[in-house]
Amino acid sequence: GPASRCIFRPGFPAASAFCGYSGRRRTRQVLLLKLSILIIIKNSLIGLFTGFINGSFGSGGGTLLVPILNDIIKLEEHKSHATALAIIVFLTGASSAVYIFKGTYDFQLTWRVAIGSIVGGIIGAKLLSKVTGKFLRIIFGIIMIIAAFRMVF
């Protein structure tokens, strides 16, 4: 019967939806599963790219995330900034672990700057919800242009 054809793999809840279904519904479920896999691959490639940039240059992965989340993932401006910040925790944590293990960082400077970063991060996060998406794009763009100019000259 249908139960004997049941496809179930732990960690793949969408696959368990195949149990007892056939025809159109099963085709729809297969398409949704394939789409989910493509989304996971796309998001993983974005993470791989931004992680590589961040690990190689010591920064930049988070800066790239905002336009990627806006333009490729189609996330709203405020959510793009907030999500990029959350992703940066993992991105910088992984890169920092390598640098710490190799001893290529300044421990004292790290802690002194971190104190100000925490306060600034809290203030910035609270202000994020008070500005429009257009204003956020303009300010972010200006900061990126200034940073690019300083890197080149």
Side-chain angles (χ1 to χ4, degrees), residues 5-151:
R5 292 183 307 214
C6 182
I7 300 170
F8 179 78
R9 294 189 181 119
F12 293 94
S16 64
F18 295 152
C19 299
Y21 296 111
S22 60
R24 283 185 167 169
R25 188 165 185 176
R26 184 171 180 170
T27 302
R28 182 171 182 253
Q29 292 295 329
V30 169
L31 290 174
L32 288 174
L33 181 61
K34 287 179 181 179
L35 181 61
S36 297
I37 291 169
L38 288 175
I39 290 169
I40 290 168
I41 291 170
K42 178 173 82 171
N43 292 343
S44 296
L45 288 173
I46 290 168
L48 179 68
F49 173 68
T50 56
F52 173 78
I53 295 299
N54 195 74
S56 298
F57 300 110
S59 68
T63 305
L64 293 172
L65 274 170
V66 173
I68 288 171
L69 293 173
N70 278 333
D71 300 333
I72 296 174
I73 304 295
K74 303 297 184 201
L75 209 56
E76 185 267 328
E77 193 76 33
H78 290 84
K79 280 191 177 184
S80 293
H81 284 267
T83 303
L85 287 170
I87 293 169
I88 290 168
V89 170
F90 300 101
L91 195 134
T92 57
S95 300
S96 295
V98 172
Y99 291 130
I100 289 169
F101 181 74
K102 288 183 170 187
T104 53
Y105 74 105
D106 184 327
F107 183 76
Q108 293 299 321
L109 180 61
T110 300
W111 287 108
R112 287 188 297 238
V113 174
I115 293 167
S117 298
I118 292 167
V119 174
I122 291 169
I123 293 169
K126 289 184 182 245
L127 289 176
L128 178 67
S129 63
K130 299 186 184 317
V131 297
T132 65
K134 183 177 181 178
F135 179 79
L136 200 54
R137 272 190 307 279
I138 291 168
I139 294 300
F140 185 70
I142 290 170
I143 291 170
M144 286 180 62
I145 290 168
I146 292 168
F149 185 78
R150 288 189 49 100
M151 291 291 290

